[in-house]
Amino acid sequence: MNRFSYHRAGTVAEAVKALSDEPAARLIAGGTNLVDLMKYNVETPSTLIDVTRVEALKGITETEDGGLRIGALVANNTVAYDERVNARFPLLASAILAGATPQLRNAATTGGNLNQRTRCYYFYDIQTPCNKREPGSGCGAIGGLNRIHAILGASEQCIATHPSDMCVGLAALGAEVHIAGPTGERVIAFADYHRLPGDSPQHDNTLRHGEIVVAVVLPQGSQGYAGHYSYLKLRDRLSYAFALVSVAAALEIEGGVIASARIALGGVAHKPWRRQDAEDSLVGRPADDRAFAEAAGLLVSGALGHQHNAFKIDLACRAIVRALAQAAAGTPQSQTDKRIA
Amino acid sequence: MPAHAIVGTQTVPIEITLNGVRLSLDVSPSTTLLDLLRHDLVLTGTKKGCDHGQCGACTVIIDGSRINSCLQLAVMQDGKSITTIEGLAQDGVLHPLQTAFIERDAFQCGYCTPGQICSGVALIEEGHAVTRAEIREHMSGNICRCGAYPNIVDAIEDVLVQRGQLQREAAE
Ligand SMILES: Cc1cc2nc3c(=O)[nH]c(=O)nc-3n(C[C@H](O)[C@H](O)[C@H](O)COP(=O)(O)OP(=O)(O)OC[C@H]3O[C@@H](n4cnc5c(N)ncnc54)[C@H](O)[C@@H]3O)c2cc1C
Ligand code: SF4
Ligand code: FES
Ligand code: FES
């Protein structure tokens, strides 16, 4: 780990200023991703800005229009066991509990989870080329080991995936990301928060210099999915492993017919993957496997496999169909008993 | 200790309560809590397995929450209360889970054991696990290279049963 200075921020404004003043400064919250990356010298911050004492980033509160605001510092486990979240947005609770471990979820924060970096092996190994870590150096994964890499939305510069489970749930629920920066506050739709790698894979998301995430807001309108949802995560072992493919599925069903649908995929792209046409294709249809398979085909259309990850295309299709069936039946995937019903 | 505006690369003064004892320390910003415990304070009960959040051997209890100490910076623990394996026994009497680990032979080499026990103690307090399947899932953050898992689950189940939190199931 490099030497760095430590700055404990007391307010959002102070954190924003400290971050704006120093290009190589980093925020630290739960530390579970940043400290890990610092130990590998992937991150070498000049200053760590500790935001864990900032009151304005804490707590889960009701919004005026019936949504739920989750402060950037709220621990992943706190969100997952919150009664309001479980009653109104159980898909989010389930997605969080599918990830990491109890210990990690106790430390990991909402803001940190959103901003965690990829788990690409080459990104982690400073001896190897990586355009995300060192723009222009090349990509170790293309032509290298790429079992965990993207099948959708990748570029010739980078085929990394965003590793979060929580973010897949937030994407399906159409959350908002609330941001504070040097020029004030702004709100980004979840779908626009993370980005595709294109020719600048060093940027995981659309945060600008000096900006920080202050909260995530779950909109009142997504409460309608509480009855028909499922988060299905497929991985190399049953717990304590990142997703190869995951699906957040949410339906509104009226009289046996799908009234609205949300489907987000994890483990397959640089951001949680959604497609409007796939979701629209389900509306007005009976909730059956034929409709689900069609939606799955649309959602993964254009998928491109590499040497070790082409299996993900078929796996994703099957997982989408299964997750939609679980959602339709009102029998969400259990995150304890990993058998897939 | 003010809540903000501590800046510098030099050592930073912190106050923590460790196993019930208040300590005033000067720590370097880059020292992890795990290294503070093992190297500076010579409390070597807490183990370093992977140093990257991947094994759970370093699990300690911070303000009631189980956390991997290898990914926590010591400087950020200012004002917190930390319990390690050394702090679980009270007045020379082992914690019920420590006793259950001995009775159930829930370890072989013992390297993962302090982390397993701290994790298990927190699991019992959390109250989310009331079946064997749930105990297994809620202990999945602690890897045991020797594979003592069935006995670890037995030990935790014993304490949950003692506390009326779990009805023992028929043998699997
Ligand atoms: C072994 C292991 C297994 C894991 N398994 C999973 C898994 O299966 N599924 C999963 O989803 N995750 C998994 N994780 C990742 C874990 O969820 C993340 O490490 C965690 O969510 C990061 O949150 P944090 O608060 O600890 O972030 P930190 O490490 O503190 O920060 C991470 C990044 O976010 C930035 N940041 C923090 N807060 C803010 C903010 N408010 N605004 C802007 N930027 C901010 C930091 O500057 C840093 O770049 C795993 C981690 C480990 C170590
Ligand atoms: S896939 Fe992206 S993160 Fe991985 S080596 Fe290539 S450029 Fe780096
Ligand atoms: S030493 Fe901390 S998780 Fe392995
Ligand atoms: S007893 Fe040896 S690692 Fe668990």
Side-chain angles (χ1 to χ4, degrees), chain A residues 70 85 88-95 166-176 190-191 216-226 228-229 248-251 262-264 274 279:
Chain A
I70 300 173
V85 172
R88 287 147 63 183
F89 307 100
L91 174 59
L92 177 61
S94 189
M166 182 191 88
C167 290
V168 183
L170 289 173
L173 291 167
E176 293 168 350
F190 203 84
V216 164
V217 171
L218 297 163
Q220 196 266 343
S222 294
Q223 287 178 204
Y225 297 114
H228 293 284
Y229 73 92
L251 299 170
R262 300 275 181 79
I263 326 166
R274 281 181 66 185
E279 295 172 7

Side-chain angles (χ1 to χ4, degrees), chain A residues 73-329:
Chain A
L73 274 180
V74 181
N76 287 179
N77 258 349
T78 305
V79 178
Y81 293 116
D82 184 88
E83 276 180 26
R84 292 158 293 178
V85 172
N86 278 280
R88 287 147 63 183
F89 307 100
L91 174 59
L92 177 61
S94 189
I96 291 172
L97 292 179
T101 68
Q103 289 98 311
L104 288 162
R105 296 192 302 262
N106 276 339
T109 65
T110 303
N113 194 316
L114 227 65
N115 289 286
Q116 64 174 302
R117 313 294 315 267
T118 185
R119 308 301 290 201
C120 171
Y121 334 111
Y122 303 96
F123 176 73
Y124 262 82
D125 181 354
I126 60 167
Q127 309 295 331
T128 62
C130 168
N131 288 324
K132 186 180 276 300
R133 181 170 28 77
E134 209 183 314
S137 63
C139 170
I142 297 176
L145 292 172
N146 45 44
R147 177 173 167 78
I148 64 171
H149 290 76
I151 51 170
L152 287 159
S155 73
E156 284 176 10
Q157 304 286 313
C158 177
I159 59 171
T161 57
H162 191 265
S164 168
D165 290 297
M166 182 191 88
C167 290
V168 183
L170 289 173
L173 291 167
E176 293 168 350
V177 185
H178 289 235
I179 288 165
T183 56
E185 301 195 359
R186 63 189 183 111
V187 178
I188 311 183
F190 203 84
D192 300 326
Y193 184 74
H194 296 102
R195 59 186 292 284
L196 294 179
D199 55 12
S200 51
Q202 68 273 26
H203 299 299
D204 294 349
N205 56 52
T206 50
L207 272 190
R208 301 180 197 132
H209 179 63
E211 286 187 329
I212 77 168
V213 173
V214 294
V216 164
V217 171
L218 297 163
Q220 196 266 343
S222 294
Q223 287 178 204
Y225 297 114
H228 293 284
Y229 73 92
S230 188
Y231 188 76
L232 178 59
K233 175 175 177 178
L234 304 173
R235 50 196 140 172
D236 281 330
R237 55 183 185 188
L238 290 180
S239 299
Y240 215 167
F242 287 91
L244 288 166
V245 168
S246 70
V247 186
L251 299 170
E252 282 181 301
I253 300 177
E254 283 161 21
V257 172
I258 298 169
S260 82
R262 300 275 181 79
I263 326 166
L265 295 183
V268 297
H270 204 252
K271 60 188 286 191
W273 192 257
R274 281 181 66 185
R275 270 181 78 127
Q276 193 67 47
D277 57 357
E279 295 172 7
D280 289 348
S281 78
L282 289 167
V283 176
R285 305 270 304 266
D288 60 23
D289 279 1
R290 234 178 76 188
F292 300 156
E294 247 178 74
L298 284 166
L299 190 51
V300 303
S301 61
L304 198 69
H306 291 264
Q307 192 182 354
H308 308 113
N309 73 352
F311 73 95
K312 281 190 182 182
I313 301 173
D314 190 40
L315 188 66
C317 282
R318 291 164 189 264
I320 295 163
V321 172
R322 189 67 69 94
L324 284 166
Q326 292 177 327

Side-chain angles (χ1 to χ4, degrees), chain A residues 16-37:
Chain A
V16 166
K17 179 159 188 336
L19 200 56
S20 312
D21 287 351
E22 232 181 292
R26 290 282 182 279
L27 294 189
I28 184 161
T32 61
N33 189 223
L34 187 55
V35 172
D36 189 25
L37 289 167

Side-chain angles (χ1 to χ4, degrees), chain A residues 1-11 14 28-33 35-36 38-40 46 48 50-53 77 81 97 100-107 119 235 237-240 335-338, chain B residues 1-10 12 14 29-30 32 51-56 59 65-68 70-73 75-80 115 119 126 128 131 133-134 137-143:
Chain A
M1 215 186 282
N2 65 305
R3 278 174 65 80
F4 55 87
S5 50
Y6 173 72
H7 182 154
R8 190 177 294 163
T11 62
E14 192 189 331
I28 184 161
T32 61
N33 189 223
V35 172
D36 189 25
M38 286 168 66
K39 289 183 180 185
Y40 286 113
S46 57
L48 282 189
D50 175 357
V51 291
T52 58
R53 316 276 158 153
N77 258 349
Y81 293 116
L97 292 179
T101 68
Q103 289 98 311
L104 288 162
R105 296 192 302 262
N106 276 339
R119 308 301 290 201
R235 50 196 140 172
R237 55 183 185 188
L238 290 180
S239 299
Y240 215 167
Q335 304 305 352
T336 302
D337 179 352
K338 304 294 169 66
Chain B
M1 176 60 49
H4 57 89
I6 297 166
V7 186
T9 48
Q10 303 304 312
V12 179
I14 62 166
S30 60
T32 62
D51 213 20
H52 289 282
Q54 299 180 359
C55 74
T59 302
S65 294
R66 46 176 161 157
I67 289 199
N68 309 72
C70 68
L71 295 182
Q72 293 303 309
L73 294 177
V75 67
M76 291 174 70
Q77 308 310 311
D78 191 24
K80 302 204 169 164
S119 198
E126 289 158 9
H128 299 307
T131 64
E134 285 167 352
E137 174 60 17
H138 286 265
M139 287 300 290
S140 63
N142 294 81
I143 308 283

Side-chain angles (χ1 to χ4, degrees), chain B residues 106-113 116 143-149 152:
Chain B
F107 45 81
Q108 290 174 45
C109 76
Y111 198 81
C112 71
T113 311
Q116 300 278 3
I143 308 283
C144 175
R145 190 66 184 80
C146 299
Y149 299 112
I152 293 169

